[in-house]
């Protein structure tokens, strides 16, 4: 049986609460699950491409990106264990999900996160592919961790 340190369990719990808040139902009067537009939102107000289910243009960009980073983090081994990380469809898919979230919300993050968003996108593009060499993944994962920490800091999270 795997033991999870208390700090990790608390972080995962906090991220789950944040994710649930991001996915909560619309508070707009008259919005119903049946009023989903062709873009996949309940309000129909989102303009441009929608990469995240339930996303709205007025969602807090930091909350969405922090949530996506946390969602990916649930499938990653702790820092320092990059050598043992498994690269199954779950992990690769979560990197893809993060890329979609960054495509929608990255331009609206604080300016100090801009370079890190670009770094994450480039690294995630490679790590989401099944044909990426295992020897390349370890270093890319370390680069991802550094860039995602900078985005969290820019969003006032740690």
């Amino acid at each position: 049986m795997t033991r999870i340190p208390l700090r990790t369990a608390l972080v995962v719990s906090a991220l789950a609460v944040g994710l649930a808040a991001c996915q909560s139902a619309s508070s707009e009067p008259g919005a119903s699950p049946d009023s989903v537009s062709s873009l996949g939102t309940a309000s129909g107000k989102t303009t441009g491409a929608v990469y995240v289910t339930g996303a709205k243009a007025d969602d807090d960009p930091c909350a969405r990106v922090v949530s996506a980073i946390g969602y990916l983090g649930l499938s990653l081994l702790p820092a320092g264990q990059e050598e043992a990380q498994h690269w199954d469809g779950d992990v690769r898919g979560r990197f893809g999900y993060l890329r979609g979230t960054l495509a929608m919300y990255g331009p609206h993050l604080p300016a100090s996160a801009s370079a890190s968003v670009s770094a994450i996108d480039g690294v995630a593009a490679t790590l989401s592919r099944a044909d990426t060499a295992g020897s390349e993944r370890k270093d890319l994962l370390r680069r991802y961790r550094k860039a995602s920490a900078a985005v969290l800091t820019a969003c006032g999270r740690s």
Side-chain angles (χ1 to χ4, degrees), residues 91-142:
V91 174
R92 293 190 319 270
R94 290 181 191 220
F95 271 107
Y97 175 81
L98 178 57
R99 288 194 73 209
T101 303
L102 289 174
M104 282 187 72
Y105 297 104
H108 308 290
L109 292 174
S112 60
S114 179
S116 296
V117 166
S118 295
I120 290 172
D121 187 55
V123 167
T126 304
L127 290 175
S128 64
R129 293 193 335 251
D131 64 346
T132 301
S135 59
E136 190 178 353
R137 290 187 186 275
K138 292 168 244 167
D139 185 48
L140 289 172
L141 181 54
R142 289 181 185 106

Side-chain angles (χ1 to χ4, degrees), residues 2 4 17 24 54 63 66-67 71 73 89-90 105-106 114 119 149 154:
T2 303
I4 300 174
V17 169
S24 65
V66 167
S67 175
Y71 179 64
D90 171 62
Y105 297 104
S114 179

